[in-house]
Amino acid sequence: MTATAVPSDLRARLAVGLVFVILGSTQGGWMARIPAIRDQVGLDTARWGVVSSASAVGDLVALALVTVLIGRVSTRLLCLAATVLVLLNAPVLAGASAVPALVLGLAVWGLSATSLNTPVNTLAVATEHAHGRPLMSRFHACYSCGVLAGGALGTLAAAVGVSPGLQLAVSSTVLGALLLTLGGRLPDETASPAERRRPLKDRFTPQLVLLASIAFLASFVEGAASQWSSVFTADYLDAGAALGAATYTCFTVAILAGRLVGDRFVARLGRRLYVRMSLLTVVLGTAVGLAHPGLTFALAGFTIVGLGLACVMPVVIALAGRQPEVPPGEGVSVITIGQWPGFLLAGPAVGLLAGATSLRLALATPAVAALAAAGLTRRLSTA
């Protein structure tokens, strides 16, 4: 059986939460400075779109590596190694002044961030299990807080003229110091020799495939909403860039708010019912946002979608990490495999459909995906 050593004190939760904050704040800080980084490299919007896809190469390498290594080497070691790589790469990526350096930095970002996803969620599952109550939504709220804090710091740095490289170097130094303080409190998971010899195909149980399918559909919804909510308000509703940004902000703040309180509802409703109700809330939000093309409805609709999506992935991951006869890390790795393509494909799929029809009609596809995922929850086992 898998041995999981989990300190049951507050420092264990803080250590896991810190890793989520590091991942979120690094991503938020980077995204807030994309215009400045694009200008310092000298790329136009079209070429930037092509170059930015380099991160997908790192994602694929990381998926393959983590799928093989998780459960066979120390999960804590994987988590710490990926976190350190995220912190080291962030200022190098943000300080890139030439296209080759940017491409390499993006590839390493994809490698490090995706490599971190599975082990940190595995340690979160272990911590939740040790405490005997839902904690996953709170851990993912740490990630959301990190994204917002990183974005705010990036906005401030841009306003006072601080370069992206210096901004990320300072934040990486501070976060790295915190990691040195708390990193030793991270839990761990090691597999027995028998589990190390398990064929990879054995982890794809019917329940895990079902959970991965729900993760794919939920990630498709999140990808579509995050990439197209601002465009819908700014362009389709002709409300301007500022209100477009406000729509996206409503969506992201709603996700954070939902994650801050989600564990309480999971404890009361149970994981299966909670996921189903959350996905149906996404359908409701999409209907509100698209039924009547107006600014108020768009803001309300995407806010409701954010609330519905907030805790779907945390609960799905928690269920994957509790599957019988499958080590938690291996269960979570299956969800990562299902989740990644959903988010990646959402933007292009909605864009292609919008070009053939209209953006309003194309944004109905997330509701279809959420409805399909809600239907799949009927087959979920939460034993």
Side-chain angles (χ1 to χ4, degrees), residues 4-27:
T4 306
V6 185
S8 59
D9 58 15
L10 177 61
R11 285 175 294 179
R13 283 176 285 168
L14 289 176
V16 176
L18 174 63
V19 177
F20 278 100
V21 169
I22 289 172
L23 182 59
S25 62
T26 306
Q27 182 174 346

Side-chain angles (χ1 to χ4, degrees), residues 347-364:
V350 171
L352 289 173
L353 185 56
T357 56
S358 70
L359 182 55
R360 183 184 177 191
L361 181 60
L363 282 175

Side-chain angles (χ1 to χ4, degrees), residues 162-207:
V162 175
S163 69
L166 179 58
Q167 171 207 325
L168 270 297
V170 171
S171 63
S172 288
T173 300
V174 173
L175 293 169
L178 291 172
L179 183 65
L180 282 174
T181 303
L182 288 172
R185 302 303 303 180
L186 285 170
D188 199 8
E189 180 193 54
T190 54
S192 68
E195 287 174 335
R196 292 192 186 101
R197 292 193 294 269
R198 288 164 53 92
L200 293 178
K201 63 181 178 62
D202 286 358
R203 74 181 63 173
F204 292 90
T205 65
Q207 276 294 303

Side-chain angles (χ1 to χ4, degrees), residues 94-166:
S97 57
V99 172
L102 178 64
V103 170
L104 179 60
L106 285 167
V108 174
W109 164 255
L111 172 67
S112 58
T114 304
S115 294
L116 182 54
N117 188 27
T118 296
V120 72
N121 276 295
T122 301
L123 299 187
V125 169
T127 305
E128 178 184 80
H129 185 68
H131 285 77
R133 57 189 175 90
L135 293 174
M136 287 298 294
S137 297
R138 213 165 305 175
F139 285 133
H140 282 246
C142 291
Y143 168 81
S144 297
C145 287
V147 171
L148 291 175
L153 180 61
T155 302
L156 177 61
V160 300
V162 175
S163 69
L166 179 58

Side-chain angles (χ1 to χ4, degrees), residues 172-336:
S172 288
T173 300
V174 173
L175 293 169
L178 291 172
L179 183 65
L180 282 174
T181 303
L182 288 172
R185 302 303 303 180
L186 285 170
D188 199 8
E189 180 193 54
T190 54
S192 68
E195 287 174 335
R196 292 192 186 101
R197 292 193 294 269
R198 288 164 53 92
L200 293 178
K201 63 181 178 62
D202 286 358
R203 74 181 63 173
F204 292 90
T205 65
Q207 276 294 303
L208 281 173
V209 170
L210 180 63
L211 286 166
S213 301
I214 295 173
F216 172 85
L217 293 167
S219 296
F220 183 93
V221 176
E222 183 177 354
S226 62
Q227 295 177 57
W228 289 99
S229 56
S230 60
V231 178
F232 177 76
T233 301
D235 294 349
Y236 187 85
L237 298 181
D238 198 25
L243 288 173
T247 305
Y248 174 71
T249 300
C250 286
F251 171 71
T252 54
V253 171
I255 288 179
L256 172 58
R259 287 175 174 174
L260 288 172
V261 300
D263 289 326
R264 300 176 187 176
F265 289 97
V266 172
R268 292 178 182 178
L269 299 174
R271 290 183 172 90
R272 180 170 55 187
L273 179 58
Y274 182 83
V275 170
R276 184 182 306 163
M277 291 180 64
S278 295
L279 291 165
L280 292 177
T281 301
V282 171
V283 177
L284 172 64
T286 306
V288 170
L290 302 181
H292 182 78
L295 177 60
T296 302
F297 289 95
L299 292 171
F302 281 106
T303 299
I304 296 171
V305 169
L307 288 172
L309 272 178
C311 302
V312 173
M313 285 307 305
V315 175
V316 167
I317 291 169
L319 286 170
R322 289 170 166 264
Q323 294 299 302
E325 300 182 4
V326 179
E330 294 190 3
V332 173
S333 72
V334 174
I335 304 306
T336 303

Side-chain angles (χ1 to χ4, degrees), residues 24-47:
S25 62
T26 306
Q27 182 174 346
W30 150 258
M31 292 179 69
R33 303 307 304 272
I34 282 178
I37 297 169
R38 184 186 61 193
D39 291 343
Q40 75 187 16
V41 178
L43 293 175
D44 57 25
T45 302
R47 292 179 64 203

